[in-house]
Amino acid sequence: QMQLVESGGGVVKTGGSLTLSCVASGLSFSRTAMGWFRQAPGKAREFLTTISWNSGATFYEAPVRGRFTISRNNARNTVYLQMSDLKAEDTAVYYCAAAKDNIASALESDYLYWGPGTQVTVSS
């Protein structure tokens, strides 16, 4: 199985930037698509972005498109989420997830492994 641990969360001001990291344990990381999700209190987990195994394909959900960038370094078993122009509605717990295969997907059901999450709070 694969284990994931997120880091880099914190408190930032509106319009600020923050980069999250997710380190994976598992030999299959380099052949697995990865994704980022977030969840606010009382709401369902929300898909944000995904990246294929070789970074050849990415997809961003409309609320973060143009502001967030997903990337990965397979040699480091790490996926990143660069966030800029942060807004109050970006406040949530952010989760890293590993998919069933190497194809980027926006469907939560396609993901098998999840990190514990890291809190991002955007304040005015």
Side-chain angles (χ1 to χ4, degrees), residues 48-89:
L48 297 178
T49 180
T50 182
I51 187 169
S52 61
W53 71 278
N54 64 348
S55 302
T58 59
F59 176 78
Y60 298 89
E61 199 71 5
V64 304
R65 192 176 300 149
R67 299 189 298 120
F68 290 13
T69 301
I70 188 170
S71 62
R72 66 191 297 163
N73 187 324
N74 288 347
R76 297 178 181 269
N77 277 15
T78 303
V79 62
Y80 306 93
L81 183 66
Q82 297 173 265
M83 305 181 292
S84 63
D85 192 25
L86 286 163
K87 308 175 185 300
E89 51 264 42

Side-chain angles (χ1 to χ4, degrees), residues 6-61:
E6 305 95 338
S7 63
V11 180
V12 296
K13 294 182 178 180
T14 299
S17 300
L18 197 64
T19 298
L20 307 181
S21 299
C22 174
V23 178
S25 299
L27 296 177
S28 63
F29 175 81
S30 64
R31 305 173 72 133
T32 302
M34 302 293 294
W36 285 96
F37 296 73
R38 68 186 179 190
Q39 186 171 23
K43 298 183 64 178
R45 191 148 51 192
E46 173 190 16
F47 168 79
L48 297 178
T49 180
T50 182
I51 187 169
S52 61
W53 71 278
N54 64 348
S55 302
T58 59
F59 176 78
Y60 298 89
E61 199 71 5

Side-chain angles (χ1 to χ4, degrees), residues 85-107:
D85 192 25
L86 286 163
K87 308 175 185 300
E89 51 264 42
D90 295 320
T91 296
V93 176
Y94 283 69
Y95 296 92
C96 173
K100 294 184 294 186
D101 54 30
N102 60 359
I103 302 174
S105 175
L107 301 177

